[in-house]
Amino acid sequence: MRSDNVKSGMQQAPHRSLFNALGMTKEELERPLVGIVSSYNEIVPGHMNLDKITEAVKMGVAMAGGTPIVFPAIAVCDGIAMGHIGMKYSLVTRDLIADSTEAMAMAHQFDALVMIPNCDKNVPGLLMAAARVNVPTVFVSGGPMLAGHVKGHKTSLSSMFEAVGSYSAGTMTEEDINEFECKACPTCGSCSGMYTANSMNCLTEALGMGLPGNGTIPAVYSERLKLAKHAGMAVMEMYKKNIRPRDIITKDAIMNALTVDMALGCSTNSMLHIPAIAHEIGFDFDISLANEISAKTPNLCHLAPAGPTYMEDLNEAGGVYAVMNQLKQKGLLNEDCMTVTGKTIGEAVEGAVNKNPEVIRPLDNPYSETGGLAVLKGNLAPDGSVVKRSAVVPEMMKHEGPARVFDCEEDAITAIKGGKIVAGDVVVIRYEGPKGGPGMREMLNPTSAIAGMGLGSSVALITDGRFSGASRGASIGHVSPEAAVGGPIAFVEEGDIIKIDIDNHSLELDISEEEMAKRKAAWTPRQPKVTTGYLARYAKMVTSGNRGAVLEI
């Protein structure tokens, strides 16, 4: 056992004295030590139930012959952090989570791990740590929130943000807003649409690192507690068979996850996190692979914000495995990839049935023949940019309009809510990238304000920052290179014509090469916005959005 390094032999007598201080019995020390990485806290709605999940996992581990030992991982609520300086501290936690989990797992020599994340950065951060530490590991999330109900319709957090835009436009009253805020988020859990948290929890199933149902069983269902117990049992089976994360998270598994991403219509943030996870196994993931996979993968789901269905509906329809079984039938998955179930992907999804063709479209009636995400390139984004094409209305798939340029999110929101953005405009928000932000803030406030003010079918947004999974419309993020390092987005001037062609994967600034060179020569770098603390260190080490914003020395 790996844990023998801290518990066996005469040299480890001092170590055992510390285990005695913990109240550990001889019998517990004779068993494999299983680290339970709990992201529980009392500020994130998606994490407030993780104490119950943790206890269930511990029981499963103990029943299967292991000794469970809990340690924490931090978590930020993106919704609460949205629209102010707090959002600079969202993406950056992914690497803190990975680093701190690696440190705890290696320092204490655990034999196996169970990861209990739920919200946006915890899932990829813990997947990165799992690949690094490479001991038998299973993931079990806290589960999605149930949809809210307002005026007879299901709703969610994205509707709440858009309601604020509607209030600014004068189409909703303060009483309407109060009703929304009391009913939009009715339970604990990760917000109820196919936003980033639920996207990554579903993709954990697709990677093979989570049990079936990990991404979709609602947080408040007792079935979630059963899943947690089975996760504890499963990790002990993995330990016995010596199945490790790098046996599961392979290049082929990552391509499977990207394929499922396209079918589900996941958050654009998956195009930050998939490259970062790939980086941990030495796979240099090119985001342009998304277009290759999209070209042959049908988009089968339109969950909020793209459509009127929610995670609870996907769960009832058969969940991620039902989607994967349909993709398998079309020959789109590598069926030989291993999973934490001990079965291959092909074996694991066999028999998973689509119970609702309105939620999971059948192969002969997809929402589109191509996937939910697209990578756009051109002179405005030479290294790429990302859009959730499944959440773009048809009339905005091709758009041309004048640039309205803002050097931070706050200025853009002021202009939008002040009625200064009109139909046809292309809002450009720059110096919000990984280095320039720093931290690559999500832009849910401006996208929601535009949608709420009735401009979602006539105004595009472009940024070197990123968009929330709850954003919809022609919202193009991750523009690379970013403005802070002299990317072309830094050279856009007010009134320049920008041409967007999503079907042809193109994003162009309509100026000559000579004019672009002239502007580049005249550009000077800006002083960093933050010069102390973690954000300053992060800005010095982080790479561009197209590389997953991974850290390099």
Side-chain angles (χ1 to χ4, degrees):
M1 284 186 284
R2 177 191 179 103
S3 60
D4 285 344
N5 291 329
V6 295
K7 66 185 187 183
S8 297
M10 187 56 65
Q11 282 295 114
Q12 277 63 46
H15 305 67
R16 288 193 297 275
S17 72
L18 294 170
F19 282 110
N20 285 328
L22 290 168
M24 289 250 180
T25 65
K26 179 175 179 290
E27 291 80 3
E28 286 174 297
L29 288 177
E30 288 173 347
R31 297 178 171 191
L33 302 186
V34 182
I36 314 297
V37 188
S38 173
S39 301
Y40 168 77
N41 64 45
E42 295 182 342
I43 187 64
V44 183
H47 290 229
M48 63 179 286
N49 65 321
L50 296 191
D51 55 341
K52 307 292 190 300
I53 301 295
T54 299
E55 289 304 312
V57 168
K58 288 173 65 178
M59 184 172 289
V61 168
M63 286 192 295
T67 298
I69 302 172
V70 178
F71 65 89
I74 63 168
V76 163
C77 176
D78 278 21
I80 294 173
M82 194 71 65
H84 54 87
I85 191 172
M87 183 43 71
K88 294 178 184 290
Y89 286 89
S90 169
L91 177 61
V92 304
T93 63
R94 184 187 70 185
D95 298 275
L96 284 176
I97 292 161
D99 292 349
S100 60
T101 302
E102 174 194 1
M104 287 292 288
M106 296 302 294
H108 302 102
Q109 293 291 285
F110 290 106
D111 297 299
L113 298 168
V114 179
M115 307 295 199
I116 309 177
N118 209 24
C119 291
D120 298 26
K121 309 311 163 303
N122 294 77
V123 188
L126 290 177
L127 282 166
M128 292 161 68
R132 288 185 202 171
V133 178
N134 201 35
V135 297
T137 303
V138 173
F139 277 66
V140 56
S141 77
M145 184 184 291
L146 293 179
H149 291 265
V150 179
K151 301 186 188 303
H153 298 285
K154 284 186 177 181
T155 190
S156 62
L157 183 67
S158 57
S159 300
M160 182 71 250
F161 274 89
E162 290 178 15
V164 175
S166 298
Y167 176 77
S168 298
T171 57
M172 287 186 73
T173 65
E174 187 172 346
E175 289 73 22
D176 291 329
I177 296 292
N178 288 338
E179 183 178 9
F180 260 93
E181 67 182 76
C182 291
K183 296 180 177 179
C185 300
T187 73
C188 64
S190 48
C191 296
S192 55
M194 188 56 79
Y195 311 147
T196 306
N198 292 326
S199 294
M200 294 309 302
N201 282 321
C202 287
L203 295 185
T204 299
E205 286 190 55
L207 275 173
M209 289 296 294
L211 295 175
N214 178 66
T216 59
I217 297 171
V220 294
Y221 283 14
S222 297
E223 192 66 27
R224 175 64 55 178
L225 296 176
K226 294 181 183 179
L227 183 73
K229 292 173 186 175
H230 283 129
M233 298 177 202
V235 82
M236 294 309 299
E237 282 301 307
M238 291 180 69
Y239 172 76
K240 292 171 187 174
K241 296 175 181 176
N242 197 29
I243 299 173
R244 300 168 181 253
R246 287 183 212 162
D247 300 324
I248 297 172
I249 307 173
T250 63
K251 180 177 179 179
D252 286 336
I254 286 169
M255 298 309 288
N256 277 348
L258 184 57
T259 300
V260 175
D261 186 328
M262 294 299 169
L264 288 173
C266 290
S267 164
T268 53
N269 281 312
S270 65
M271 295 307 294
L272 280 175
H273 302 321
I274 290 175
I277 296 162
H279 179 75
E280 296 294 339
I281 65 164
F283 174 21
D284 188 10
F285 182 91
D286 183 343
I287 62 170
S288 295
L289 289 169
N291 291 338
E292 295 178 27
I293 296 296
S294 177
K296 57 185 179 182
T297 307
N299 178 222
L300 303 179
C301 299
H302 263 195
L303 286 88
T309 53
Y310 295 82
M311 295 305 297
E312 63 200 65
D313 302 312
L314 179 59
N315 187 63
E316 295 302 319
V320 177
Y321 272 26
V323 174
M324 292 178 72
N325 198 28
Q326 292 197 173
L327 296 174
K328 172 187 169 182
Q329 291 168 25
K330 197 174 180 182
L332 294 174
L333 295 180
N334 185 313
E335 297 184 34
D336 296 329
C337 293
M338 180 54 64
T339 74
V340 294
T341 66
K343 300 177 181 178
T344 65
I345 280 287
E347 294 167 340
V349 306
E350 184 68 34
V353 178
N354 179 6
K355 302 174 184 177
N356 189 339
E358 296 301 314
V359 176
I360 305 171
R361 289 278 186 94
L363 290 171
D364 60 2
N365 184 34
Y367 281 101
S368 66
E369 294 291 344
T370 53
L373 297 179
V375 171
L376 313 184
K377 289 189 176 183
N379 69 349
L380 188 52
D383 293 337
S385 60
V386 183
V387 63
K388 187 173 184 175
R389 65 185 298 160
S390 60
V392 179
V393 294
E395 54 266 40
M396 289 300 290
M397 295 296 285
K398 190 171 185 177
H399 180 75
E400 180 177 324
R404 305 299 309 279
V405 183
F406 304 94
D407 287 350
C408 66
E409 178 188 5
E410 289 83 357
D411 290 350
I413 293 170
T414 299
I416 295 165
K417 292 186 175 179
K420 295 180 180 179
I421 302 301
V422 299
D425 284 348
V426 179
V427 176
V428 177
I429 307 175
R430 62 191 179 190
Y431 293 101
E432 290 285 7
K435 286 184 179 292
M440 205 178 186
R441 287 194 288 181
E442 283 186 346
M443 306 289 177
L444 180 55
N445 276 349
T447 58
S448 298
I450 282 176
M453 296 180 77
L455 296 170
S457 61
S458 60
V459 169
L461 291 94
I462 297 174
T463 183
D464 53 6
R466 59 196 176 98
F467 291 110
S468 167
S471 294
R472 61 186 175 99
S475 304
I476 301 166
H478 309 193
V479 170
S480 302
E482 62 175 291
V485 298
I489 193 172
F491 314 142
V492 181
E493 295 181 359
E494 187 80 8
D496 283 346
I497 298 300
I498 292 176
K499 297 180 177 181
I500 301 165
D501 189 339
I502 294 174
D503 285 333
N504 289 308
H505 308 129
S506 175
L507 182 61
E508 294 283 341
L509 181 62
D510 191 18
I511 63 173
S512 67
E513 291 182 11
E514 291 77 15
E515 177 63 19
M516 183 76 84
K518 179 181 175 183
R519 294 182 185 183
K520 183 175 183 178
W523 177 81
T524 54
R526 299 194 170 205
Q527 291 298 312
K529 293 178 184 176
V530 180
T531 57
T532 60
Y534 177 55
L535 285 181
R537 296 197 302 275
Y538 181 88
K540 289 180 179 178
M541 299 174 69
V542 70
T543 60
S544 64
N546 70 295
R547 295 187 57 200
V550 298
L551 301 186
E552 289 186 343
I553 297 173

